Amino acid sequence: MRLSLIFYTLVMAGVTYLLRAAPILIFQKKIENPFIQSFLFYVPYAVLAAMTFPAILTSTRCWPSAIAGLVTALALGWRGKGLLTVALAACAAVYVVELIVL
């Protein structure tokens, strides 16, 4: 049991390392293509949104509170408020809506 756990952990560490080291090994020169540069610039934002959006909608007890928190966060973020302000206001919106609905 312990030997297989160690083996699985080593394989997981190796795969994780290869995935992180591959871009450095493959792309050693500066990327000059503006399309690829702009694509790579937006990848972290797209991945973060793809990971965060489902969690926003499924982390509350009901849909109306999730939508209220999402709309509040989007509105305040659009107006340029800071991360702490947006997060606290979204949490407050979820809390108030859940008090009303439930």
Side-chain angles (χ1 to χ4, degrees):
M1 178 67 178
R2 287 184 181 216
L3 187 59
S4 64
L5 182 64
I6 292 172
F7 175 72
Y8 294 148
T9 304
L10 289 175
V11 169
M12 181 183 65
V15 169
T16 302
Y17 177 75
L18 286 175
L19 287 174
R20 291 174 187 262
I24 296 171
L25 297 173
I26 294 171
F27 303 111
Q28 293 182 354
K29 295 180 183 177
K30 183 172 177 7
I31 297 173
E32 301 290 335
N33 188 332
F35 176 76
I36 294 176
Q37 280 183 340
S38 66
F39 174 78
L40 292 175
F41 178 78
Y42 288 109
V43 166
Y45 299 109
V47 171
L48 182 63
M51 290 171 44
T52 306
F53 188 73
I56 290 171
L57 296 178
T58 58
S59 63
T60 62
R61 289 189 272 177
C62 61
W63 279 90
S65 63
I67 299 298
L70 176 64
V71 168
T72 302
L74 287 175
L76 291 176
W78 188 264
R79 292 181 178 209
K81 301 298 180 187
L83 180 61
L84 184 62
T85 305
V86 171
L88 290 175
C91 290
V94 168
Y95 181 73
V96 168
V97 170
E98 285 193 358
L99 281 178
I100 294 169
V101 172
L102 298 177

